Amino acid sequence: MTTSTTSRCALLRWQFDLTWSLFEYHLERLDPGDFLWEPAAHCWTVRRGADGAWVPDWAETEPDPVPVPTIGWLSWHIGWWWSVTIDHAEGRRPRERTEVGWPGDGKAAIEWLRGLRTAWTAVLERLTEEDLDAIAPFPWDRDPEHTVAHMAAWVNAELMKNATEIGQLRLLRAASAT
């Protein structure tokens, strides 16, 4: 019997590429109006502030019930956690949530997310098996129970969850228009 061994780095990269391909399916089909469509009365979105910048709805303590997010809010949320993760992975000072704004429209948001994909792919490409065993700088604040491998797997899982939410909202909006 022949057995094949796949490195953890290769497996994490494969999982990320699979997740991204599922996300790209929805990104390619989003209409400009999809981003700020509010699927329920109780929702979180991104709003233009007095200074013209787009600001996401936010609460320090998650409300109950949790508001339904718009695609705009979800795209900001992905951009926020991914930007901060990349900051940590690259050894930079991580940005605060309030320092990560939404680009202002769907096309710009998609390009922003694709740029983050490129940056994250570069992180994954440089990781070694030894790097994966280091203590994760984020999102567990250097908890010795979580490694860089956990962080990379968390990015894949978080992206898959948010991509699914965006896809479902896109499908709901399209179905409600017919």
Side-chain angles (χ1 to χ4, degrees), residues 11-170:
L11 183 60
L12 286 165
R13 177 61 193 266
W14 175 86
Q15 184 186 43
F16 174 75
D17 289 342
L18 174 64
T19 299
W20 184 264
S21 70
L22 298 170
F23 190 31
E24 191 66 46
Y25 174 85
H26 293 294
L27 290 178
E28 291 171 355
R29 289 160 178 79
L30 286 169
D31 290 327
D34 290 338
F35 287 84
L36 298 180
W37 175 67
E38 295 187 5
H42 184 58
C43 72
W44 273 352
T45 191
V46 287
R47 303 173 197 283
R48 193 177 292 275
D51 63 355
W54 289 86
V55 179
D57 292 332
W58 187 260
E60 291 302 322
T61 302
E62 192 167 76
D64 185 18
V66 175
V68 178
T70 63
I71 291 173
W73 190 92
L74 286 165
S75 64
W76 164 80
H77 185 251
I78 294 168
W80 166 50
W81 62 254
W82 215 353
S83 294
V84 173
T85 304
I86 293 167
D87 287 345
H88 280 284
E90 296 291 347
R92 296 188 298 258
R93 179 192 70 81
R95 286 165 269 189
E96 296 296 324
R97 174 186 48 81
T98 55
E99 294 176 292
V100 180
W102 191 63
D105 69 38
K107 183 177 180 180
I110 290 170
E111 291 309 310
W112 178 43
L113 296 175
R114 286 179 176 148
L116 289 169
R117 175 196 178 271
T118 299
W120 182 247
T121 299
V123 168
L124 291 176
E125 288 296 319
R126 74 166 170 71
L127 288 176
T128 65
E129 291 291 318
E130 185 177 289
D131 292 334
L132 292 178
D133 292 328
I135 295 173
F138 184 76
W140 301 279
D141 197 24
R142 301 201 181 277
D143 173 356
E145 295 292 317
H146 295 94
T147 65
V148 170
H150 288 102
M151 181 179 75
W154 171 80
V155 166
N156 292 344
E158 188 71 17
L159 181 62
M160 187 177 299
K161 177 186 84 67
N162 289 156
T164 301
E165 292 168 323
I166 287 172
Q168 188 65 40
L169 286 168
R170 184 186 70 77

